[in-house]
Amino acid sequence: MQKRWTVKAYQPNQEHLLQSSLRIHPLLCRLLVQRNVHTYEAARQFFRPTLADLHDPWLMKDMDKAIARIELAFFRHEKILVYGDYDVDGTTAVATVFDFLRQLYNDIEYYIPHRYREGYGVSPQGISYAKENDFSLVIALDCGIKSIDLISDAKAAGIDFIICDHHLPDAILPPAVAILNPKQYDCPYPYKELSGCGIGYKLISAIALKRGLPESAPNKYLDLVATSIAADIVPMTGENRVLAFHGLKKVNEDPLPGIKALMQLNQQKEPLTISNLVFVIAPRVNAAGRMDDARKAVNLFIENDPEKANAIAAILHADNFDRKEIDSTITQEAVALIQNDLSLANKKSTVLYQSHWHKGVVGIVASRLIDKFYYRPTVILTQSNDMVAGSARSVSGFNVYEAIHQCKDLLENYGGHFYAAGMTLRPENVKAFQEKFEEVVARTITADMLVPEIVIDTELMFSDITPAFYNILKQFEPLGPENLRPVFLARHLRDTGFSKLVKDEHIKFSVRQGNTGPTFNGIGFYMAEKFHLVNSKKPFDMAFTLDENEWNGQTSLQLKVIDIR
């Protein structure tokens, strides 16, 4: 798959000003300016974030109303239901708020909607459960901001809602007693990009302050907050960066028993990073909802007995193994469908439907098709009871939600974001949807959107790659959106003669820049088709990130190669 390389713009004046105060390598100042770090104080907060940098939770609109309603429920001995979505953000948020509140109050339960029987967010079944079991207060986490009709029904039945959500509100809001969402147009809270669990953390922080509890009381849950930030792909800026930094510290020094159990199952020895949370912890948590019941994830997070936590973690681990087997099989079937139908191979979009595919992994399969095989907006559909349900994923710069919105006359329901969306439709409309979606994409997508983009932070000379440079680069962690791992460009490299193919798929690089500069080793996964550029004896350019390699007790810097040309 050919890729286009885009080098970010530089701001030399800003870089020079920052370098004069920090006295570090100019290229590190370039990376900081690109991340909106312009001053010594901003750099201090970036490299040494403290919990004191967090904003006062009482600044959030309706926080006073939320706390007053919870306190009233305590006073009246009302039944409280903590309600949240089945994904990582939802389950971590529910575990955080439920576990904190149950230490203060007994008459409290939690509810996670079933992915297949109820779907995303506040559900009619959830409202029925609250009515039938005499709950008069529901705290909805990571959902609820769009559930106007259902929350109106609940209000009519005498059930109050506190909504803690981070999704973009519509002009009309549900009739909740309090809505905690910094994205409300009139919310004065300074940071707008918290995860759902992050808002739950703010809620318990306010309760702790109100009740005169130790300031550190909510910090027991920082590893859950960091997991939600990693999995929900929110910006790694401001408060998210502070919470992720200290959440990782807790993960590595004093994790909750459930997090520790998942780490041990994966035989994780070195300190965990955000990347480990994304690729080790999050898939196992998500697998609970994808393959069965997400309540298992909450049970894991609130379990204090290490043996019981280990047992639940083993079930999630097995669910994730099953999920991987299923999504691998479906991906192979999807690729075969495209390869065996020339009309599909030449389209600007991919829309595939098979009734037997597992609903829990269609989004993963859509992402995998884009990443590995066909870089274009993709929808994977499957049978769900008497309807067809599916997930859409997009490519850089293309609004897949808007494209699906233009097909709304063929859909029963839909929702989502710029890069990901879900929908349901009747089986008889599948073919028409395939044709309409392709027509919309073909009309609106540009040619360069169909070519994967590598965004490069800066050009870097091999002579600048030193242990001192890398030691500061490591402190850019935690990494995430708006603070991604820096990608470098090195020009005019030559093979030293020792580069080779590994397992006929990967390239093990040994390269030099110029005749006298340092030699670096690197690894390029699944790049075998470009090996002819390496051993052609001609110079080539390389896009890469920097990494450490440990071998026989020796640690050295290596290049993690993304592309060459």
Side-chain angles (χ1 to χ4, degrees), residues 206-280:
I207 294 170
L209 288 168
K210 171 78 174 174
R211 296 199 143 229
L213 300 175
E215 206 173 300
S216 60
N219 297 343
K220 172 185 176 182
Y221 308 100
L222 281 172
D223 42 2
L224 296 184
V225 180
T227 302
S228 80
I229 289 167
D232 222 52
I233 321 180
V234 290
M236 194 61 76
T237 58
E239 283 196 309
N240 284 340
R241 184 175 169 78
V242 176
L243 292 165
F245 182 92
H246 289 278
L248 279 172
K249 199 168 171 353
K250 188 170 187 304
V251 165
N252 288 307
E253 293 174 5
D254 180 32
L256 289 169
I259 296 282
K260 187 173 185 179
L262 288 174
M263 288 161 57
Q264 288 172 336
L265 270 174
N266 201 58
Q267 300 177 325
Q268 201 75 33
K269 291 185 174 63
E270 71 273 10
L272 262 75
T273 64
I274 285 292
S275 183
N276 297 129
L277 294 183
V278 171
F279 294 110
V280 175

Side-chain angles (χ1 to χ4, degrees), residues 210-468:
K210 171 78 174 174
R211 296 199 143 229
L213 300 175
E215 206 173 300
S216 60
N219 297 343
K220 172 185 176 182
Y221 308 100
L222 281 172
D223 42 2
L224 296 184
V225 180
T227 302
S228 80
I229 289 167
D232 222 52
I233 321 180
V234 290
M236 194 61 76
T237 58
E239 283 196 309
N240 284 340
R241 184 175 169 78
V242 176
L243 292 165
F245 182 92
H246 289 278
L248 279 172
K249 199 168 171 353
K250 188 170 187 304
V251 165
N252 288 307
E253 293 174 5
D254 180 32
L256 289 169
I259 296 282
K260 187 173 185 179
L262 288 174
M263 288 161 57
Q264 288 172 336
L265 270 174
N266 201 58
Q267 300 177 325
Q268 201 75 33
K269 291 185 174 63
E270 71 273 10
L272 262 75
T273 64
I274 285 292
S275 183
N276 297 129
L277 294 183
V278 171
F279 294 110
V280 175
I281 304 296
R284 286 157 178 78
V285 176
N286 265 330
R290 290 187 191 282
M291 307 309 294
D292 185 22
D293 184 352
R295 288 178 63 90
K296 288 182 291 192
V298 179
N299 288 338
L300 175 69
F301 293 142
I302 64 176
E303 182 55 67
N304 293 315
D305 183 320
E307 279 190 32
K308 290 179 181 175
N310 288 340
I312 302 170
I315 296 170
L316 266 62
H317 194 68
D319 283 345
N320 192 51
F321 181 81
D322 293 343
R323 188 272 307 164
K324 285 197 280 190
E325 294 270 297
I326 290 168
D327 87 53
S328 175
T329 301
I330 295 175
T331 301
Q332 289 169 22
E333 291 179 15
V335 171
L337 282 175
I338 298 170
Q339 289 176 338
N340 294 328
D341 186 339
L342 283 178
S343 70
L344 291 177
N346 296 317
K347 288 184 182 293
K348 297 287 193 293
S349 69
T350 299
V351 184
L352 300 176
Y353 167 60
Q354 293 287 289
S355 61
H356 67 276
W357 285 345
H358 194 295
K359 186 181 173 187
V361 301
V362 289
I364 296 172
V365 171
S367 294
R368 210 177 295 287
L369 282 178
I370 291 169
D371 291 343
K372 302 283 187 203
F373 302 100
Y374 302 95
Y375 191 78
R376 58 202 191 193
T378 297
V379 182
I380 303 295
L381 301 165
T382 187
Q383 191 81 22
S384 178
N385 301 318
D386 58 345
M387 300 292 285
V388 169
S391 280
R393 297 293 184 269
S394 196
V395 297
S396 182
F398 185 78
N399 189 336
V400 74
Y401 174 80
E402 179 57 33
I404 286 166
H405 175 69
Q406 292 186 45
C407 306
K408 67 182 182 209
D409 55 315
L410 298 167
L411 304 175
E412 297 301 304
N413 198 5
Y414 67 99
H417 305 285
F418 195 100
Y419 286 115
M423 76 291 298
T424 55
L425 61 158
R426 296 188 181 280
E428 60 267 26
N429 286 337
V430 168
K431 188 165 183 6
F433 174 73
Q434 286 175 310
E435 292 170 357
K436 179 78 177 284
F437 185 75
E438 167 65 18
E439 185 263 311
V440 171
V441 173
R443 190 179 71 246
T444 55
I445 202 163
T446 61
D448 61 348
M449 287 182 195
L450 293 166
V451 181
E453 182 183 33
I454 297 171
V455 178
I456 294 164
D457 290 81
T458 184
E459 191 171 336
L460 181 66
M461 299 295 293
F462 272 13
S463 56
D464 288 321
I465 303 173
T466 63

